[in-house]
Amino acid sequence: MSEHASYLVVGRDAEVEIEVRRSRFLATVARVASEDEARGVVERLRKRHHDARHHCSAMVVGPPPVPVQRSSDDGEPAGTAGAPMLEVLRGAGLSDTVAVVTRWFGGTLLGAGGLVRAYGDAVRAALEVAGTRERRLLRELGLEVDHAEAGRVEGELRARGVDVLDARWGASVHLVLGVAPADEEATRAVLAEVTGGAGEPVVLGERWTG
């Protein structure tokens, strides 16, 4: 599989609260599809927990190699909240993920080092609960097959592990196959064998799944 043919997202949304010297840190992690959606999660939590002093956040959105990365200290000393939270997301290899840590001040100053540890630990705890899942880049190939051969060809392709996404019947049968980009050459060899060299697939496009 090519270098950027997959990436990790959170397995599910999760919330975990930790306490450090009487300050409460509520960490929320959620899967998001865009930067706007991530900002919406932050604002929703800001309204829900309006009595809290800080709502620090970090997000990584979009497929590799260049996802959008943002963080906010939301009033905490610069670099003590958003940056360590973002580092946890990056260290876990995650994208399409937003982390928000809502803090209720407990009356004791934690210092810069204490804040960095607390915000990072809160996000790590939430990620342990959320787990991860993989998104894969899928390349769709189109293949035209005669009616008389369609059933056999489709059956042989499935038996060899080729993912047949769709079969559309018209003047001929149009099969839509899904393959990882790194597997395309091997899949084309299988198609040539199964169709006796008559089937020449065309690339229909690519999309992320999972």
Side-chain angles (χ1 to χ4, degrees), residues 8-14 29-31 94-97 126-134 210:
L8 296 176
V9 297
V10 287
R12 64 184 180 90
D13 296 354
V29 295
R31 181 171 172 180
L94 289 164
S95 192
D96 292 352
T97 301
L127 290 181
E128 284 184 15
V129 174
T132 60
R133 61 185 295 181
E134 187 177 37

Side-chain angles (χ1 to χ4, degrees), residues 1-192:
M1 186 170 293
S2 65
E3 182 183 358
H4 300 302
S6 68
Y7 64 93
L8 296 176
V9 297
V10 287
R12 64 184 180 90
D13 296 354
E15 281 192 350
V16 173
E17 184 176 310
I18 67 171
E19 185 172 315
V20 181
R21 298 174 72 180
R22 295 197 299 276
S23 277
R24 292 166 52 209
F25 295 82
L26 176 65
T28 302
V29 295
R31 181 171 172 180
V32 291
S34 67
E35 189 175 347
D36 284 346
E37 188 177 340
R39 295 189 187 285
V41 173
V42 178
E43 291 310 309
R44 186 170 71 247
L45 291 169
R46 189 184 301 278
K47 290 177 182 176
R48 180 184 302 169
H49 304 297
H50 54 83
D51 58 328
R53 179 175 292 191
H54 306 284
H55 303 273
C56 305
S57 60
M59 67 181 77
V60 183
V61 182
V66 191
V68 172
Q69 301 182 26
R70 301 274 188 268
S71 66
S72 168
D73 295 313
D74 193 39
E76 293 283 29
T80 62
M85 291 167 62
L86 181 59
E87 196 55 43
V88 172
L89 296 182
R90 292 170 56 186
L94 289 164
S95 192
D96 292 352
T97 301
V98 62
V100 184
V101 176
T102 300
R103 181 193 181 193
W104 290 266
F105 182 54
T108 302
L109 295 175
L110 302 183
L115 289 173
V116 168
R117 284 191 296 275
Y119 279 100
D121 287 347
V123 174
R124 274 187 285 270
L127 290 181
E128 284 184 15
V129 174
T132 60
R133 61 185 295 181
E134 187 177 37
R135 292 204 83 196
R136 290 175 174 266
L137 184 62
L138 189 72
R139 184 166 294 162
E140 295 185 349
L141 304 179
L143 180 69
E144 298 293 334
V145 185
D146 290 339
H147 285 189
E149 292 290 299
R152 178 190 65 79
V153 169
E154 182 176 350
E156 287 197 33
L157 290 176
R158 290 186 185 279
R160 295 181 185 222
V162 178
D163 192 6
V164 181
L165 303 177
D166 195 12
R168 303 166 191 163
W169 292 71
S172 61
V173 181
H174 181 72
L175 300 179
V176 179
L177 315 175
V179 302
D183 296 336
E184 183 181 349
E185 187 174 341
T187 301
R188 286 180 178 273
V190 170
L191 292 175

